[in-house]
Every structure is written in structure tokens, then in C-alpha cells.
Amino acid sequence: MGDTTRTRTPSGSPGPPGFWRSPLRGTWFTSVLGAVLLVGIPLLFVTGLLSYAAYNPNLSPVNDKTPDKGLLGFYLFSWPTDPHWLYRLNQGLHVTVGIALIPVLLAKLWSVIPKLFALPPVRSVGHALERLSLLLLVGGALFEFATGVLNVQLEYLFPGSFYPLHFYGAWVFFGAFVAHAVLKLPRAVRTLRERGVREQLRTHDKPSEASTMSRRGALGLVGGGSLLLLATSAGQNFDGAARRTALLAPHGGGEPGAGPNGFQINKSAAAVGIRSADTGRSWRLVVSGRGRELSLNRDDLLAMAQHSAALPIACVEGWSTSDQWWRGVRLRDLAALVGYEDRAPAVFVESLQQRGSFRQAALRDNQVRDPRSLLALRVNGEDLSPDHGYPARIIVPAAPGVLNTKWVARLTFGEL
């Protein structure tokens, strides 16, 4: 949304006469694109905040990637375990919609670019404030979309951690977006009401002498680009043939081999320094709490009551699997071994993982108590593969994939 130059060259603009001239630029075209972003950007903002809440950052410092958030964490709540596909839906929407909106955002920036370079840059105090808000809006949009796409593709190149940069950037961008929407929405609504979309397309469909494309063609180009990105990324939320259509998904959308363990992973055992000697017969799981400590091997765990749960894996990068059949020991049963028979508390999970992020994670008491929360030993009828966390991994309903810790070495139950 927002005001733009008309077809004439803006007074005082850089470049030769006619440099910014395009019959496609104008308030109506910009308003149509703005109306799409008015729906899409709040959706991205809300799902992004929910994604951050799913990490339970108030639970433990190891889960909190933005320790200086202060008042910006006002909305945080205990992340639920129902429905079990909650995080899968949330993050799939966040990443897939964000990718599909890229052509709309770029077209919107193109439609208003003359205003960004209008001279003189400041004409009054009010104009200076408007320019500042526009700078935050454009800069914030480019920063959020660029960092998000780079993180999704596992090629994040910016200095610093992705989590605080993307989190704080989202608040700056959305604040500028709200201010811009409040200022420009009345004019955009008037513009779209004066002549409907069909009438505008009919009136301006034929190219003028200076144009190279009709408005219908421009909107079709933008919409087609969005549909193409949607078609080449949405498949990462599914298994089988659909995932092969996700050309823009992490790892190219492929599945790691075939068989019961042949579903998507993020990090392999080799990539994080897991050796076969670490997970062999010498492996032990240490369970502690209330001053007690037990050391259990895999046979000890298999001798305990085994339970099954059908749960997906859903990653912050947007990909997810369908429900897999996991089997193992309930976390609440392990808590009972160290004295928490009645009411299991939170748990601090430590992995054998030697390098990379999320070697440690914390789970809330509601997650530990859920009967579907398991220390999984098998999946889809077979032992876990090394890449899926053999000899034991965490699986919790509705939790981000990185909290489903693989290659578990220690569980410490208690208040965190």
C-alpha cells in the first residue's frame, strides 16, 4: 500500500527525464499489491511469534535465543502438545507463505521506488518522519525476507545468530508496517473502490505508447511468480512424490534412502560428530532427579514398558514429515524412576552431539507428562538409524524438530 508517483517524472528525481516513467506505476497498482501484503504480512508475523513461543524460551536459558527481548516477550505462553500437528502447520504456513510473497513484495517495492529517491529528501519535519518510517519498512522487509530465505536454505551468511536478528528485525519491520498501513489504508481503499479491479484491468489493459506490458499482464506476472514459488516449496510439508516437487526446499526436498527410516532429516550423525563407538554397546543413558541417578543401557530401556505414538517431525526451516510410528519409553515413566511417580516435572535433555546448535534442550512439564512423549528407540517397526538418533531420541507432540533431541545421553528431571 502507499502513495506512488504517477506516470510523469518526479520533480527533482535523479536520472534523466522519463527515467522513472512507467504507465504501470500508480496508486491503483500499488494498492492492489498492498492489499495482498496487508493479509500476508500479519500472517507471517503471527506465525513467526508462535514459532518462537514453541521453543518455550522462558523455560530455560538454553531454549532462549533472545535473552534481551524484555517486553517483546510479553505474549509468551506454555506451548501445548495438542493438536500434535500444531507446529507442523504453523511453520509450514510461515515459510511457504513467506516464499510465495516474495514476487508481491518485489513488485510493491518497484511500484514505489520513485518515492524512495525523490528530491529533496526532506521537505519538513513531518516529511522526514514519513521518510524514516518508509526506510524502516523497506529495509525491514528486505532484511526479514533475505535472512529467512537464507536460513531456510541452510546457507545463512549474516554475522550473528539468526534467531535474535530475525526476531528483533520482525518487530522493527512490523511496527513500520502497521504505521504505514494506518497512514495509507484510507487512500488505498478509496482507490480500489473508485474503480473495481475488473474495470481497472479493462481500462488499462492495452499497452500505451510508453508501456511494455498491460496491467493485466503485470498482475499475472506477479501472481504467476508467486504460484511458481508456492508449487516449488509447498511439497516440503509432505512425504513421498510431493516432496520431490519442492525444488526450493532444504536439501533439495529428497528423502534419506528408503525403508522405515527413509524420511527427512536435518542433521546427520556424521555432520555433528557422532561416531559409531559413541552409540555402541558402551552407550549409557543417565537419568537423574531428586538426588537420584541411574545409568541405563539400551537393553534396560527395551525391558521397560514400551509405548507407541504417531507423530511428525517439523523443522523451523519449514519442512515436515507425515506421522511416523515411534516406539519407546514414556518420558513420564523415566521421571518416575528417579522419584517423580505422581507428577513429572520439566526435563533437561543432553545429547552426544559434539558440534552444532541444540546439543541441549529443555522440555516443559506438560510435554513430559503427555503420554505420547517418548524416549524413542524404534520407528516404523525398526531400530532408529544413526541419522535418526540411534540409540535413543526424544519425540514430543507439537514440538519444533530441534527439541526432539537425537542421540540422547542424559535426562535431568526437575524444575528449570
Side-chain angles (χ1 to χ4, degrees):
M1 299 184 332
D3 196 5
T4 74
T5 57
R6 298 187 183 277
T7 56
R8 59 185 176 81
T9 303
S11 175
S13 294
F19 180 76
W20 298 111
R21 180 180 176 85
S22 172
L24 296 179
R25 286 196 178 99
T27 306
W28 180 85
F29 185 70
T30 301
S31 297
V32 172
L33 298 173
V36 176
L37 294 176
L38 189 62
V39 175
I41 296 299
L43 175 63
L44 294 181
F45 183 67
V46 171
T47 53
L49 292 184
L50 290 176
S51 178
Y52 182 62
Y55 285 78
N56 288 318
N58 284 346
L59 176 63
S60 170
V62 298
N63 288 20
D64 190 1
K65 300 303 179 182
T66 57
D68 299 321
K69 59 185 176 297
L71 293 177
L72 296 183
F74 71 92
Y75 73 95
L76 293 173
F77 55 94
S78 298
W79 189 252
T81 56
D82 281 308
H84 72 277
W85 41 259
L86 178 60
Y87 190 76
R88 182 185 185 191
L89 173 64
N90 182 85
Q91 204 60 17
L93 280 174
H94 184 71
V95 173
T96 305
V97 172
I99 291 174
L101 282 179
I102 290 175
V104 182
L105 175 69
L106 294 178
K108 177 69 162 58
L109 294 179
W110 172 85
S111 72
V112 299
I113 198 170
K115 282 188 69 68
L116 303 180
F117 294 98
L119 298 175
V122 176
R123 296 193 294 269
S124 64
V125 174
H127 184 244
L129 293 175
E130 181 184 354
R131 299 279 287 178
L132 178 60
S133 68
L134 197 59
L135 176 64
L136 293 175
L137 179 67
V138 174
L142 293 175
F143 180 80
E144 285 300 289
F145 277 80
T147 55
V149 169
L150 286 174
N151 185 67
V152 165
Q153 294 301 325
L154 305 180
E155 295 176 359
Y156 186 72
L157 303 176
F158 286 79
S161 171
F162 165 77
Y163 295 94
L165 290 175
H166 203 65
F167 178 80
Y168 296 130
W171 280 103
V172 172
F173 167 51
F174 194 70
F177 176 82
V178 170
H180 185 71
V182 169
L183 291 172
K184 301 301 183 183
L185 183 59
R187 179 170 184 178
V189 171
R190 286 196 305 270
T191 300
L192 294 175
R193 281 180 174 176
E194 285 173 1
R195 287 187 176 182
V197 173
R198 291 184 180 179
E199 178 63 24
Q200 284 284 342
L201 288 174
R202 205 163 33 242
T203 303
H204 298 278
D205 192 41
K206 293 183 178 180
S208 67
E209 182 178 321
S211 67
T212 58
M213 183 181 296
S214 67
R215 284 189 176 180
R216 187 189 298 272
L219 289 177
L221 181 63
V222 174
S226 290
L227 289 175
L228 178 62
L229 290 178
L230 179 66
T232 52
S233 59
Q236 65 183 323
N237 299 291
F238 307 95
D239 290 331
R243 190 177 297 278
R244 290 193 288 272
T245 68
L247 303 179
L248 299 181
H251 309 291
E255 295 180 351
N261 278 271
F263 55 94
Q264 186 77 18
I265 62 169
N266 188 350
K267 51 192 176 186
S268 67
V272 296
I274 301 294
R275 303 168 303 173
S276 58
D278 300 325
T279 59
R281 297 189 63 83
S282 63
W283 174 83
R284 295 292 184 273
L285 171 71
V286 177
V287 183
S288 64
R290 283 189 170 172
R292 306 181 190 180
E293 185 170 291
L294 298 175
S295 179
L296 305 172
N297 61 29
R298 203 165 187 276
D299 289 336
D300 295 329
L301 293 169
L302 288 169
M304 295 180 65
Q306 302 292 297
H307 298 272
S308 297
L311 299 172
I313 294 289
C315 186
V316 68
E317 293 152 2
W319 63 262
S320 60
T321 72
S322 58
D323 290 354
Q324 310 296 322
W325 277 99
W326 307 91
R327 188 162 178 80
V329 181
R330 287 175 175 170
L331 293 182
R332 67 187 190 185
D333 292 343
L334 291 167
L337 293 179
V338 289
Y340 294 102
E341 294 89 352
D342 297 329
R343 190 170 178 83
V347 64
F348 183 65
V349 185
E350 299 175 72
S351 173
L352 292 171
Q353 181 178 333
Q354 298 298 306
R355 52 180 177 267
S357 58
F358 293 98
R359 296 186 296 272
Q360 302 171 328
L363 298 173
R364 284 192 180 277
D365 53 1
N366 66 307
Q367 294 174 310
V368 175
R369 293 172 195 151
D370 192 295
R372 297 164 295 179
S373 296
L374 305 175
L375 179 72
L377 306 172
R378 296 169 63 83
V379 63
N380 298 325
E382 277 194 7
D383 287 346
L384 297 169
S385 69
D387 287 342
H388 279 298
Y390 182 88
R393 68 169 296 162
I394 298 292
I395 185 70
V396 173
V402 290
L403 297 186
N404 292 307
T405 308
K406 298 192 282 189
W407 314 292
V408 177
R410 187 181 187 96
L411 298 175
T412 304
F413 291 94
E415 298 304 319
L416 300 177

